[in-house]
Amino acid sequence: GSNSRTIGARFNFESLVSDKIKFGMNMDASSRNANNKDAMIGKIIGMRPDYPAYNEDGTINTIDLYTKNPLVELLDKNESVSRNINAAGFLEYNFYKFLKFRSTLNAQYQNVKYDQFARAYYEGSVNSGKQKDSQSYTIVWDNLLTFYKTMGRHDVTAMLGHSVERTSYDYMEANGSNYPDDDILVNLGSAATRGAINSNKQSSSLVSLFARVQYKYNNRYLFTGTFRTDGSSRFGKDNRWGYFPSAALAWILTEEDFMKPLKDIVSYIKIRASYGLTGSQNLSYYSFTGYMGSNRYN
């Protein structure tokens, strides 16, 4: 009884506005409707083969608390609808052949809705329903200034960048039980017993500045140096920024004259040493502070 239907579309566009300016954008969107009946397998296994599926009057046999007729599970609702949009646009400007600037804006949006309804499956039980609506989005704005030039035996690439990221998530859910029937009055407002109602909203931001220099001499001696600093709202205000430097040296031995007689035996050897610091903001929302909440009694 399960099914899933997805419709998707994609759009890509890129244009050279002039010799110096390039513009582009791409977008993909999808919509998915799903009907989840995975619980059917467990209900089929739990049903004794000598139990009749239907009563003599043609109604579905409601057995007992411990055995749910798979036909009731088949009629239960467990549907979801999701919408996804990913979009990006960039603008690139070439000041000179060796210097260019690129600004990119990315956006992601997702909306998911769940609609569940469980029928009364034995004499004396009650039906119940639950609905949830959630949405999330992420916006990232990147700016990069890149320098790249070869001067004789010297090859230099340098980059200076700035990035801003914003994420947000919110949802609302509610449930109820004791609906008047199992087919028509199944909206939340028709539930005689109102269950829990909950909503929440969370958001965070990340700001980054970074730079990188790569230098190669005579195609065999390499140096890379990077530095970045990141400020995340997932940390407390007194300890929100981190600083992460790194450096690396490398030597391509196979480019040296004394290694050329061994080219047929060893095609490529590089020795590399590096050191750096890294960090992570993989924390839950607002974990740096205390929470205040409320509960219902009676």
Side-chain angles (χ1 to χ4, degrees):
S2 295
N3 64 73
S4 175
R5 295 181 176 89
T6 302
I7 298 175
R10 179 174 294 177
F11 171 78
N12 294 293
F13 173 79
E14 192 169 301
S15 174
L16 285 171
V17 181
S18 67
D19 294 339
K20 293 182 176 291
I21 301 176
K22 180 191 286 188
F23 168 77
M25 61 181 299
N26 60 76
M27 178 184 297
D28 63 84
S30 64
S31 174
R32 178 175 182 263
N33 291 55
N35 187 10
N36 187 350
K37 297 294 183 182
D38 289 351
M40 280 287 294
I41 297 175
K43 300 302 181 291
I44 291 172
I45 294 174
M47 176 92 171
R48 276 173 44 178
D50 58 329
Y51 282 149
Y54 296 94
N55 299 315
E56 292 183 357
D57 59 359
T59 59
I60 296 176
N61 183 19
T62 54
I63 303 166
D64 55 43
L65 171 64
Y66 306 101
T67 308
K68 185 176 182 179
N69 193 324
L71 293 174
V72 177
E73 181 70 31
L74 184 63
L75 293 174
D76 285 349
K77 182 188 292 185
N78 190 7
E79 299 175 348
S80 64
V81 179
S82 62
R83 307 281 189 264
N84 296 276
I85 298 176
N86 298 305
F90 74 88
L91 181 66
E92 186 176 287
Y93 185 81
N94 289 278
F95 295 95
Y96 307 100
K97 291 183 179 180
F98 54 85
L99 184 65
K100 70 177 180 180
F101 173 78
R102 184 183 178 102
S103 183
T104 306
L105 184 66
N106 294 274
Q108 297 178 341
Y109 174 79
Q110 182 182 54
N111 176 235
V112 182
K113 294 182 179 181
Y114 294 97
D115 189 359
Q116 300 171 335
F117 188 86
R119 295 166 173 255
Y121 68 91
Y122 72 96
E123 194 69 29
S125 66
V126 296
N127 50 24
S128 62
K130 179 180 179 180
Q131 294 186 26
K132 181 177 180 180
D133 190 343
S134 66
Q135 61 180 353
S136 62
Y137 72 83
T138 301
I139 297 177
V140 182
W141 184 30
D142 292 326
N143 295 283
L144 292 175
L145 182 65
T146 306
F147 172 88
Y148 47 94
K149 194 168 186 179
T150 299
M151 298 163 285
R153 297 184 177 184
H154 307 277
D155 194 339
V156 179
T157 301
M159 181 187 69
L160 182 65
H162 171 256
S163 179
V164 179
E165 179 179 330
R166 173 78 171 179
T167 61
S168 180
Y169 170 77
D170 67 85
Y171 74 91
M172 178 179 291
E173 62 179 345
N175 63 73
S177 58
N178 261 323
Y179 291 78
D181 65 88
D182 292 331
D183 297 298
I184 300 174
L185 296 174
V186 294
N187 59 305
L188 288 171
S190 295
T193 305
R194 304 293 173 88
I197 300 174
N198 192 21
S199 64
N200 200 0
K201 185 173 183 178
Q202 301 167 324
S203 61
S204 67
S205 299
L206 178 70
V207 178
S208 304
L209 295 168
F210 46 90
R212 182 179 66 193
V213 176
Q214 292 176 301
Y215 172 73
K216 183 191 294 185
Y217 175 73
N218 204 20
N219 202 35
R220 63 192 69 181
Y221 308 114
L222 299 91
F223 168 78
T224 302
T226 65
F227 179 82
R228 67 177 297 137
T229 176
D230 301 273
S232 173
S233 66
R234 292 178 183 253
F235 295 95
K237 293 181 179 180
D238 297 331
N239 191 26
R240 186 153 283 175
W241 289 86
Y243 305 93
F244 311 106
S246 69
L249 293 171
W251 179 21
I252 304 177
L253 273 73
T254 45
E255 293 295 323
E256 299 290 351
D257 293 337
F258 64 83
M259 290 293 295
K260 291 183 178 178
L262 302 176
K263 274 284 188 181
D264 296 334
I265 302 174
V266 181
S267 61
Y268 188 81
I269 294 179
K270 181 170 75 170
I271 299 175
R272 186 175 185 269
S274 63
Y275 173 82
L277 297 177
T278 186
S280 173
Q281 63 153 355
N282 290 332
L283 303 171
S284 58
Y285 291 95
Y286 317 116
S287 60
F288 61 86
T289 188
Y291 284 85
M292 180 180 292
S294 62
N295 282 299
R296 295 186 304 163
Y297 298 94
N298 297 325

